[in-house]
């Protein structure tokens, strides 16, 4: 927040005011929850060690049962004077102390006989019985205790939900703005001019992704729309850059509308209500639509919904059918966009005849 106070921006100040420091809650969460908790509470392991003594004890019983038994065995050997005394466990009888019949007369009176075998006697003590009751159910009880603590923690946090949401929303916006600033500074982006006129003028525009991933230097391209120039016909060979040119224009417009600087040397952008695209050739077999049907459906959506404030990208319209029919469809779409819709349109085509038509 100290850094934000240095910035003289109404938006930044608004976001700064929305940030609500909650040091007590931060301390509570740091004490209560481990640094990288699992996604689901059902398997436990969310509550941090040291937050609740009962939970720590239950976890300790589950995790340190072997050491407890070794300590108990050693202590009982010393107290009873029986060197062969063993503490063991099986699923039928649980935990028990096993003594050879040769030393049966030395067994302390506090031992309770549990099982008699040919060569050994097995006993239980109140301490071992208590340990058995604890350890056999310790995991279930630990999980139950952890869920109780987690629900109690959520209940404590519930009253702070408005502050959490406000802070999270402000941090999310600041994160986006920091990303914008970082890109502008490191990628040589410029501030676009947002104007009221229905124009789109980009000087030396670049594709923000391709220029970063391509090993070759990216060659900038300009685009100019005004009240008279509404459709630009783009022709050229495959891999000539038609689609890149179209997409970079749309990306620059979207970045500008988001409030970001843009990859260009200069840009003036008027009001844009929507960006429409008809790019790529693929069928939709699950819906029973051929490539041609997909193409025509998307083209119809553009012609029916675009306005003079829309940016339209039409890439290879009509290629899903025969050459003559495709050329006719492309021609009809281009005329509609140019003379009726008046949307700013980038129209890429393989039909060189369209340039003459």
């Amino acid at each position: 927040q100290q850094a934000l106070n240095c910035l003289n921006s109404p938006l930044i100040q608004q976001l700064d005011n929305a940030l609500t420091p909650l040091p007590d809650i931060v301390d509570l969460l740091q004490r209560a929850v481990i640094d990288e908790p699992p996604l689901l509470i059902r398997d436990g392991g969310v509550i941090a060690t040291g937050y609740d003594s009962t939970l720590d004890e239950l976890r300790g019983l589950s995790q340190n049962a072997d050491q407890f038994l070794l300590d108990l065995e050693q202590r009982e050997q010393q107290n009873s004077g029986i060197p062969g005394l063993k503490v063991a466990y099986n699923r039928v009888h649980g935990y028990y102390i096993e003594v050879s019949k040769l030393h049966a007369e030395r067994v302390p009176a506090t031992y309770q006989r549990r099982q008699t075998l040919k060569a050994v006697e097995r006993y239980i003590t109140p301490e071992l019985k208590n340990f058995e009751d604890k350890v056999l159910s310790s995991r279930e009880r630990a999980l139950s205790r952890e869920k109780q603590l987690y629900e109690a923690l959520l209940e404590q946090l519930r009253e702070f939900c408005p502050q959490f949401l406000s802070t999270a929303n402000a941090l999310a916006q600041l994160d986006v703005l920091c990303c914008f600033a970082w890109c502008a500074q490191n990628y040589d982006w410029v501030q676009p001019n947002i104007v009221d006129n229905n124009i789109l003028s980009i000087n030396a525009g670049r594709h923000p992704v391709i220029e970063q991933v391509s090993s070759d230097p990216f060659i900038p391209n300009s685009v100019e729309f005004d009240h008279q120039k509404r459709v630009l016909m783009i022709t050229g060979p495959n891999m000539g850059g038609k689609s890149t040119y179209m997409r970079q224009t749309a990306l620059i417009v979207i970045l500008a509308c988001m409030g970001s600087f843009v990859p260009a040397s200069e840009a003036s952008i008027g009001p844009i209500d929507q960006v429409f695209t008809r790019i790529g050739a693929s069928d939709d077999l699950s819906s029973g639509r051929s490539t041609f049907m997909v193409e025509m459906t998307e083209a119809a959506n553009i012609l029916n919904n675009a306005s003079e404030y829309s940016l339209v990208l039409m890439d290879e319209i009509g290629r899903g059918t025969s050459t003559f029919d495709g050329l006719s469809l492309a021609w009809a779409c281009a005329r509609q966009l140019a003379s009726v819709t008046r949307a700013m349109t980038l129209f890429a085509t393989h039909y060189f005849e369209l340039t003459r038509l």
Side-chain angles (χ1 to χ4, degrees):
Q1 284 189 303
Q2 292 178 351
L4 296 180
N5 290 332
C6 301
L7 300 175
N8 186 21
S9 163
L11 175 59
I12 296 296
Q13 293 304 316
Q14 177 185 343
L15 296 177
D16 184 21
N17 295 334
L19 295 174
T20 308
L22 298 169
D24 293 340
I25 296 300
V26 172
D27 177 66
L28 172 64
L29 290 173
Q30 288 177 336
R31 289 187 294 106
V33 182
I34 65 173
D35 290 339
E36 296 184 11
L39 293 176
L40 301 175
I41 185 66
R42 68 184 181 193
D43 297 324
V46 173
I47 302 299
T49 301
Y51 179 68
D52 181 74
S53 59
T54 302
L55 178 61
D56 291 344
E57 181 183 357
L58 291 170
R59 284 176 173 172
L61 285 171
S62 177
Q63 296 168 1
N64 303 315
D66 292 341
Q67 186 60 46
F68 175 87
L69 295 175
L70 288 173
D71 294 342
L72 177 65
E73 182 179 276
Q74 187 175 12
R75 188 172 70 249
E76 290 301 319
Q77 286 176 354
Q78 293 174 351
N79 293 340
S80 66
I82 303 174
L85 181 147
K86 294 191 304 182
V87 178
Y89 168 83
N90 65 38
R91 291 189 177 184
V92 178
H93 297 285
Y95 290 96
Y96 55 84
I97 298 173
E98 186 175 276
V99 178
S100 170
K101 285 192 174 181
L102 295 175
H103 304 289
E105 72 282 356
R106 301 168 65 181
V107 171
T110 56
Y111 284 22
Q112 302 170 16
R113 183 179 282 106
R114 171 164 279 190
Q115 185 183 23
T116 299
L117 298 178
K118 184 176 181 180
V120 297
E121 296 280 356
R122 291 176 176 172
Y123 301 89
I124 189 75
T125 66
E127 181 184 13
L128 190 57
K129 179 62 177 173
N130 185 48
F131 172 78
E132 178 183 74
D133 292 341
K134 283 186 176 182
V135 78
L136 291 181
S137 61
S138 61
R139 176 165 177 76
E140 289 76 11
R141 291 165 60 198
L143 186 58
S144 175
R145 178 66 177 173
E146 190 165 0
K147 289 180 178 178
Q148 291 176 4
L149 293 169
Y150 185 73
E151 290 171 0
L153 181 64
L154 293 181
E155 198 61 38
Q156 283 183 266
L157 300 177
R158 186 189 301 274
E159 63 178 292
F160 298 98
C161 278
Q163 293 95 314
F164 292 156
L165 292 173
S166 172
T167 300
N169 183 56
L171 288 174
Q173 292 187 59
L174 286 171
D175 185 40
V176 172
L177 295 176
C178 286
C179 181
F180 286 167
W182 190 92
C183 290
Q185 186 173 29
N186 290 276
Y187 296 153
D188 191 28
W189 292 5
V190 301
Q191 180 178 350
N193 299 313
I194 305 301
V195 299
D196 294 329
N197 297 332
N198 188 5
I199 63 169
L200 174 58
S201 176
I202 300 172
N203 186 32
R206 312 186 305 278
H207 193 294
V209 177
I210 294 179
E211 75 166 341
Q212 298 305 319
V213 301
S214 176
S215 57
D216 299 323
F218 190 90
I219 300 174
N221 295 282
S222 300
V223 61
E224 185 82 32
F225 287 106
D226 56 32
H227 296 287
Q228 298 299 318
K229 190 189 298 182
R230 305 305 288 174
V231 175
L232 298 180
M233 197 70 64
I234 308 167
T235 62
N238 289 331
M239 295 297 294
K242 297 190 299 296
S243 293
T244 298
Y245 177 67
M246 296 171 66
R247 293 172 197 232
Q248 79 179 40
T249 302
L251 287 172
I252 289 172
V253 166
I254 292 171
L255 284 169
C257 291
M258 291 166 63
S260 170
F261 281 26
V262 298
S265 63
E266 186 181 4
S268 295
I269 300 173
I272 304 289
D273 61 359
Q274 298 179 87
V275 176
F276 291 94
T277 67
R278 161 82 284 278
I279 295 177
S282 61
D283 52 27
D284 183 5
L285 295 179
S286 61
S287 300
R289 300 195 304 166
S290 67
T291 300
F292 177 68
M293 185 60 182
V294 171
E295 192 177 287
M296 290 299 99
T297 301
E298 293 181 359
N301 177 59
I302 293 172
L303 295 176
N304 288 323
N305 294 290
S307 75
E308 62 177 324
Y309 296 104
S310 302
L311 175 64
V312 176
L313 310 185
M314 298 284 273
D315 192 8
E316 307 293 352
I317 193 77
R319 64 178 161 183
T321 186
S322 64
T323 301
F324 186 78
D325 291 347
L327 174 59
S328 301
L329 286 165
W331 184 16
C333 289
R335 286 192 61 177
Q336 178 75 9
L337 289 166
S339 60
V340 179
T341 306
R342 304 280 297 157
M344 293 176 285
T345 304
L346 292 170
F347 202 103
T349 181
H350 267 119
Y351 300 126
F352 193 73
E353 294 85 354
L354 274 181
T355 61
R356 294 199 303 271
L357 294 170

